[in-house]
Amino acid sequence: MEPSEAWGVRWEMAASPMAKRYMKVATAKQSLVCLAADRHTMAGLFDLIEAVGPHVAALKTHVDLVDDWTPEAWSRFCKVAHEANLLIFEDRKFADIGKISRSQMAGIYDIRSWSDLVTAHLISGPDIVDGLQASWTDVGRSGGVLLLAQMSSRGNLLHPAYTAEVVGKGTAHPGVFGFIGNGSRPKELQELRIAVGEEKMIWTPGVNLAVGDGEMGQRYGDPTEAVLAGSDCIIVGSGIHKASDPRASAKAYADASWNGLLQRNR
Ligand code: S5P
């Protein structure tokens, strides 16, 4: 199937080349899954990517939670991710002023040199997006920012008025790839999609085939429902990396998300 057929209006409206790249990969793999690769060792990460690579379209990392991180091992890991045709998304949740966020993209982890996407809060104002974009430009690369418009955790402070401001500023900025929405609440997600319109991506954590409460205030909703409500990518962590058979689990999430997309565009 062609991406234009699978994605319909989103394909036509998406202005960002990174969004088009994601939709192409997702169509080729028939999977709208971003794996939250929250394992704490390099060996665990390599095992995971080898097991699930064919069934996921993007890889979300928390580079600072790996116990035995080294620049060499990480660069090999990124190479394997590229070979597996995965977008690499560092979920750093930047929140500082523009110039510091730009510097934090460098430093020991040098996120700007290997990430295709990063997350940011807009709490410090819109210059954070320019700071992050400048850091990719500094190394001759390009990338996209996902702004946190909603969160999946209970009691979070991203209230509707805040969400509306994030969406208003984010939709107008070409450096913004899209938004993080709350995958655990389809109704909130539908409202977010209406506010965002058709041009930008909405990616959603808080998704699990076992719907309900997770650890430490995490909340989970159904993957297909999230896609039907307007999510373009389900971010799944423990549902895959803690499963007894991560490959089979990744395939189950891929099918749930892909079926959601086909139903949505019917
Ligand atoms: O609101 C959010 C935003 C994010 S990016 N809630 C989240 O859970 N996340 C991330 O998604 C979180 O950092 C973690 O890596 C992943 C969810 O993992 P899971 O194991 O609960 O599926």
Side-chain angles (χ1 to χ4, degrees):
M1 185 182 280
E2 291 300 313
S4 55
E5 201 186 327
W7 290 89
V9 67
R10 191 87 69 256
W11 177 266
E12 281 159 40
M13 299 288 287
S16 118
M18 193 68 81
K20 287 249 156 86
R21 185 175 147 203
Y22 164 69
M23 287 187 271
K24 274 189 205 157
V25 175
T27 307
K29 296 191 180 185
Q30 304 203 337
S31 170
L32 278 60
V33 177
C34 172
L35 168 70
D38 296 335
R39 286 210 176 149
H40 298 198
T41 64
M42 289 307 309
L45 287 168
F46 278 110
D47 285 351
L48 192 56
I49 207 169
E50 198 191 313
V52 311
H55 302 304
V56 303
L59 180 73
K60 187 175 84 62
T61 56
H62 283 297
V63 67
D64 51 357
L65 60 67
V66 183
D67 295 333
D68 57 350
W69 190 90
T70 63
E72 296 74 29
W74 195 256
S75 126
R76 262 189 293 122
F77 180 65
C78 291
K79 193 161 167 272
V80 173
H82 282 135
E83 284 163 6
N85 200 13
L86 296 168
L87 273 80
I88 307 183
F89 162 21
E90 167 57 24
D91 185 14
R92 171 66 179 69
K93 298 188 179 72
F94 292 97
D96 213 316
I97 59 171
K99 68 172 180 177
I100 296 301
S101 298
R102 180 184 192 170
S103 303
Q104 288 173 320
M105 283 281 275
I108 191 161
Y109 296 119
D110 204 23
I111 295 168
R112 61 189 180 169
S113 295
W114 48 265
S115 62
D116 299 310
L117 299 166
V118 299
T119 35
H121 286 287
L122 208 62
I123 192 81
S124 61
D127 290 281
I128 189 168
V129 179
D130 298 321
L132 295 169
Q133 285 295 341
S135 77
W136 276 307
T137 307
D138 290 340
V139 291
R141 298 185 71 244
S142 56
V145 178
L146 276 156
L147 292 175
L148 284 116
Q150 297 175 335
M151 290 197 76
S152 62
S153 44
R154 73 176 170 210
N156 72 73
L157 304 180
L158 283 66
H159 296 306
Y162 176 85
T163 299
E165 285 225 37
V166 170
V167 169
K169 294 203 165 63
T171 45
H173 200 305
V176 173
F177 168 88
F179 302 91
I180 295 292
N182 177 8
S184 76
R185 294 290 181 273
K187 201 173 156 291
E188 280 177 33
L189 206 48
Q190 266 168 359
E191 286 162 12
L192 182 65
R193 174 50 76 193
I194 290 166
V196 167
E198 300 290 349
E199 198 181 309
K200 302 274 189 191
M201 294 267 117
I202 297 178
W203 286 27
T204 55
V207 167
N208 200 294
L209 286 164
V211 169
D213 289 338
E215 262 177 73
M216 304 192 91
Q218 176 68 303
R219 300 173 296 182
Y220 291 118
D222 176 75
T224 307
E225 272 186 44
V227 175
L228 288 172
S231 168
D232 300 311
C233 179
I234 52 166
I235 298 174
V236 184
S238 38
I240 295 175
H241 68 75
K242 286 206 173 139
S244 54
D245 183 346
R247 182 188 285 256
S249 177
K251 173 79 168 73
Y253 282 95
D255 291 348
S257 62
W258 182 248
N259 290 337
L261 185 68
L262 298 183
Q263 276 181 54
R264 186 169 93 190
N265 288 326
R266 199 176 282 152

